[in-house]
Amino acid sequence: MNKYFSLLLIIFIIQIYSCKKSGVDNSAMHIGTSPDVYLAGSVNGLAVYWKNDSAFYPPGGDKLVGIYASGNDVYVGGTAFKTGTNAVAAYWKNDSLVTVSDGTNSAFVYSMFVSGNDVYLSGIEDVLVPVVMGSVARYWKNGTTVVLQETGSDVAYGIFVLGNDVYVAGDGNIAEYWKNGNAVVLDTTSYSYATSVYISGNDVYAAGNIFSGGHYIAAYWKNGNRVILSDTSRNANATSMFVNGTDVYVAGFESNGTNNVAKYWKNGDAVSLTDGTQDDAATSIYVFGNDVYVAGMQNDGYSVAQYWKNGIPVILSNVANNTFTSSIFVKYP
């Protein structure tokens, strides 16, 4: 089976792709105040992000995979087409474009994390490996490239930063993550890969997928110990995760035998977000206080950008056909 062909759909909708997470619950200071909900994605192939129900189109963007807001500043990360026809890794701060690859080869961003004044992007860049074009996993910190330890045609998906440590979930032909550039194997099952990583205290969590029995199974690992989430007889994918205290949340989708059902798992228990009559997916999850926000898409003949708050769908009113959301972030004004 060609693993990379099988991942094309997953790469398109993942959002595996994590923004900075805040574990601080300051809701008591904001009684009567509604939080702002930020989403990143694309509309008809153009980069777009939303603040609540208002859409913004950063210049030169192809699609966005990460979003973070601090004070009045909004950061979005993704891919731009600025140099010829090659894709360029980039981020925008308040709609000002910052490219982090030079366009010599195509580069694609799959996740973003903001820590203080530092902006991190993870993804791939096409290079000669060694004499044919192939992908190399890497991350960028404020535009400086860090090549990750290679085990083959690797892919860097979700990224998380804690202090001076940089964790990147990915695919080195098996599920793994890199800590400060050094690979840590999560699973030796062929075609397994990690899409998201989250650090809580001394624990390292990673979500991802395992290929077994002719299909993918959604799972997560806590300190390398695997937890199966989905029905092992059907296709499923874990795209994003969030840890809140002792609770582990993983977003994704699972087949009902006919269509993919958007869902998330809380401590292994599944919560379906759609009814399975169409192909749907959850791409990013964010827990804010007692509320669970999930970004994704619902297929009504074309993909419709939306998010769910505690399982209730919120359709973005000012979107066109063929839109999707890949990342979500929530904060008080």
Side-chain angles (χ1 to χ4, degrees):
M1 178 178 186
N2 187 321
K3 173 180 60 173
Y4 296 103
F5 178 80
S6 301
L7 295 181
L8 287 178
L9 174 63
I10 300 166
I11 290 172
F12 178 74
I13 64 175
I14 278 178
Q15 70 21 304
I16 19 219
Y17 314 112
S18 305
C19 301
K20 179 179 172 66
K21 314 294 194 302
S22 172
V24 177
D25 180 6
N26 56 356
S27 57
M29 300 170 56
H30 297 273
I31 295 175
T33 301
S34 296
D36 289 325
V37 180
Y38 297 82
L39 299 117
S42 77
V43 53
N44 290 323
L46 295 176
V48 62
Y49 69 91
W50 295 266
K51 177 182 178 180
N52 300 320
D53 209 26
S54 297
F56 303 87
Y57 298 85
D62 172 52
K63 60 178 175 288
L64 302 178
V65 296
I67 190 162
Y68 175 77
S70 177
N72 295 321
D73 295 324
V74 179
Y75 300 81
V76 290
T79 303
F81 284 92
K82 188 177 181 182
T83 307
T85 58
N86 285 335
V88 178
Y91 71 91
W92 291 256
K93 179 181 179 181
N94 301 326
D95 292 346
S96 294
L97 174 62
V98 180
T99 58
V100 300
S101 63
D102 62 13
T104 301
N105 299 308
S106 289
F108 300 91
V109 174
Y110 294 144
S111 184
M112 182 184 77
F113 197 102
V114 178
S115 178
N117 295 319
D118 296 322
V119 180
Y120 298 81
L121 303 169
S122 60
I124 62 171
E125 186 166 7
D126 292 337
V127 297
L128 291 174
V129 196
V131 293
V132 296
M133 193 64 72
S135 64
V136 172
R138 59 186 56 199
Y139 73 86
W140 296 266
K141 177 184 177 181
N142 301 328
T144 299
T145 304
V146 178
V147 177
L148 298 169
Q149 179 180 318
E150 297 179 38
T151 58
S153 293
D154 300 344
V155 182
Y157 292 121
I159 187 168
F160 195 102
V161 181
L162 181 64
N164 295 320
D165 294 324
V166 180
Y167 299 81
V168 183
D171 172 9
N173 297 313
I174 53 177
E176 65 184 7
Y177 68 88
W178 293 268
K179 179 182 179 181
N180 301 326
N182 298 310
V184 178
V185 174
L186 291 168
D187 206 296
T188 58
T189 305
S190 296
Y191 303 136
S192 64
Y193 60 100
T195 58
S196 184
V197 61
Y198 200 107
I199 313 305
S200 179
N202 295 319
D203 297 319
V204 180
Y205 297 83
N209 306 292
I210 304 156
F211 188 75
S212 177
H215 52 266
Y216 282 99
I217 300 167
Y220 77 87
W221 296 264
K222 178 182 178 182
N223 301 325
N225 296 310
R226 186 174 70 184
V227 178
I228 298 296
L229 296 171
S230 62
D231 184 335
T232 58
S233 66
R234 294 179 176 177
N235 272 312
N237 280 276
T239 57
S240 174
M241 77 181 313
F242 196 106
V243 180
N244 185 31
T246 59
D247 294 325
V248 180
Y249 298 81
V250 178
F253 55 94
E254 183 174 9
S255 174
N256 62 8
T258 303
N259 297 304
N260 291 324
V261 179
K263 60 177 53 181
Y264 70 88
W265 293 265
K266 177 183 178 182
N267 301 326
D269 295 326
V271 178
S272 295
L273 298 170
T274 56
D275 62 9
T277 58
Q278 302 284 346
D279 269 325
D280 308 314
T283 56
S284 181
I285 189 164
Y286 197 101
V287 181
F288 190 79
N290 295 318
D291 298 319
V292 180
Y293 295 81
V294 182
M297 67 190 76
Q298 190 162 353
N299 189 340
D300 292 323
Y302 48 84
S303 59
V304 177
Q306 67 179 65
Y307 70 92
W308 294 265
K309 178 182 178 181
N310 300 326
I312 305 300
V314 179
I315 306 296
L316 300 170
S317 65
N318 52 359
V319 298
N321 297 350
N322 297 319
T323 58
F324 75 93
T325 56
S326 58
S327 184
I328 190 166
F329 185 88
V330 184
K331 80 175 194 68
Y332 282 116

